[in-house]
Amino acid sequence: MSKIQWTNETWNPIVGCSKISEGCVNCYAESLAKAPRLQKFEQYQKVSDWDGTVEFVESQLYKPLSWKTPKKIFVCSMGDLFHEDVNFEWIDKIMAIMCHCKHHTFQVLTKRPDRAVFYFNDHLPNIGLRWFALGENVAVTFKSQTPLPNIWIGVSVENQARANERIPLLYQIPAKVKFLSCEPLLEPLELLSSIPVEIDELIDNEQQIYLNDFVDWVIVGGESGSKARPCYYDWILRVVQDCKALTIPVFVKQLGSNFIHSNEAFKHKTKFKHSKKGNIEEFPNSLKVRQFPQF
Ligand code: SF4
């Protein structure tokens, strides 16, 4: 059972990563990997420098097969599935498990959508239609260009620059459900106006593409931890309002450990029990929104 509010379980057949953008500065996975609780495991000892060393953990690969009841599963919460040093053969095996476990929903979140675009559009079609995850009698027939309904792909959008860079890449990934994770939210975002202009270049007739034409879900939240950077009430509210205007389901995960509300009365009235301010009961009413994609 995961404490992350938008999922049921985490699954880590890959661990380890390196920092790539502003959202990584206080990486929670790095801190967790260095904690004594995880340092008991060899895979976390090997990656604890967080210098880009990544480990494929074969013993974790088949875990979803043992979960009989349907779950939402966050894939690689202790790394990034599309990190540049994650071998495509490992990703193929992970994909095979996800294809096989149709009763689960797999949530893949990346800060490296450029590599995901290449994987789905260039690598997978060249594998052919049939491939296997060996070792536990898992055989998968996969039409590689068909988006699978049980695999959701998301990109991290912590500021406007990353929105402008990553949203056009997300557009190019053939996933049935595509989402944005605006966490940790580091500045005001203008999702209504961040219709990726670069997308125009991809479309023959220069038809305008709007965010709600291909984004099915948005997660938003402030940063957690003792070094958390500020997250303002107005920034989260803006994302919620933009999603409402675009009719995109939105999920306010947490206000963050350094949440700042412009309303003094709210500040003094509220004593948060949860350090990350992730208890929806304690949110301002306007931010009490936890929706999931419709499909
Ligand atoms: S991509 Fe994710 S796991 Fe990797 S360093 Fe950044 S925040 Fe941490």
Side-chain angles (χ1 to χ4, degrees):
M1 186 75 180
S2 171
K3 288 183 185 162
I4 300 170
Q5 293 88 338
W6 47 262
T7 197
N8 304 127
E9 289 285 351
T10 53
W11 174 42
N12 285 297
I14 303 283
V15 299
C17 198
S18 52
K19 296 180 181 185
I20 188 170
S21 66
E22 301 78 9
C24 300
V25 168
N26 298 317
C27 173
Y28 77 97
E30 178 186 16
S31 314
L32 209 54
K34 290 178 177 172
R37 183 166 67 84
L38 290 187
Q39 281 297 304
K40 287 186 286 197
F41 301 99
E42 198 184 353
Q43 66 264 37
Y44 291 106
Q45 292 165 10
K46 287 183 177 169
V47 304
S48 62
D49 286 343
W50 220 251
D51 58 359
T53 306
V54 293
E55 278 287 306
F56 177 54
V57 193
E58 189 117 31
S59 61
Q60 294 295 306
L61 183 64
Y62 301 100
K63 220 170 165 184
L65 303 177
S66 66
W67 295 323
K68 301 300 175 202
T69 50
K71 289 176 187 292
K72 286 194 279 299
I73 300 170
F74 178 14
V75 181
C76 296
S77 65
M78 295 299 290
D80 186 333
L81 182 64
F82 292 102
H83 186 279
E84 42 281 13
D85 288 325
V86 174
N87 193 313
F88 276 173
E89 281 177 25
W90 300 344
I91 303 179
D92 295 344
K93 289 186 177 182
I94 292 165
M95 282 291 293
I97 295 292
M98 296 196 283
C99 297
H100 183 75
C101 293
K102 291 186 174 50
H103 59 303
H104 295 316
T105 298
F106 293 92
Q107 299 161 307
V108 179
L109 176 60
T110 184
K111 287 187 171 67
R112 294 161 172 93
D114 48 341
R115 198 154 185 257
V117 168
F118 184 82
Y119 178 82
F120 284 105
N121 295 313
D122 292 284
H123 173 79
L124 266 188
N126 288 327
I127 289 182
L129 296 181
R130 190 173 167 83
W131 37 281
F132 303 94
L134 300 173
E136 296 266 327
N137 296 327
V138 177
V140 174
T141 304
F142 177 58
K143 286 198 170 82
S144 56
Q145 281 167 311
T146 309
L148 292 159
N150 69 324
I151 302 178
W152 300 1
I153 308 281
V155 293
S156 299
V157 168
E158 63 263 43
N159 56 27
Q160 195 65 46
R162 300 300 170 184
N164 298 344
E165 169 196 324
R166 291 174 181 154
I167 292 173
L169 292 165
L170 180 65
Y171 174 79
Q172 298 172 59
I173 299 172
K176 193 89 173 172
V177 173
K178 303 184 195 191
F179 65 98
L180 310 180
S181 172
C182 307
E183 192 208 1
L185 186 62
L186 299 176
E187 64 180 33
L189 280 183
E190 297 191 10
L191 291 181
L192 276 180
S193 59
S194 70
I195 310 304
V197 285
E198 293 91 333
I199 280 178
D200 287 348
E201 294 161 18
L202 303 172
I203 299 166
D204 290 344
N205 58 9
E206 294 191 3
Q207 170 201 353
Q208 185 72 45
I209 296 289
Y210 295 93
L211 206 63
N212 53 355
D213 289 331
F214 67 98
V215 171
D216 305 287
W217 191 36
V218 173
I219 300 164
V220 60
E223 193 164 36
S224 52
S226 57
K227 296 181 187 159
R229 289 162 283 180
C231 183
Y232 287 79
Y233 164 79
D234 295 345
W235 301 354
I236 302 179
L237 182 65
R238 177 76 182 266
V239 171
V240 169
Q241 288 175 336
D242 280 3
C243 287
K244 199 171 172 191
L246 290 161
T247 63
I248 300 174
V250 61
F251 189 105
V252 181
K253 182 188 165 213
Q254 62 188 36
L255 306 179
S257 305
N258 193 357
F259 175 69
I260 299 173
H261 198 304
S262 42
N263 180 337
E264 286 293 322
F266 178 84
K267 259 193 272 181
H268 294 300
K269 192 176 64 181
T270 311
K271 294 213 180 336
F272 292 99
K273 290 190 194 118
H274 196 280
S275 66
K276 301 173 186 174
K277 303 184 178 70
N279 180 353
I280 192 169
E281 300 305 321
E282 298 175 342
F283 289 6
N285 285 337
S286 48
L287 302 186
K288 287 182 179 170
V289 195
R290 282 189 172 165
Q291 300 165 328
F292 281 96
Q294 313 290 320
F295 57 96

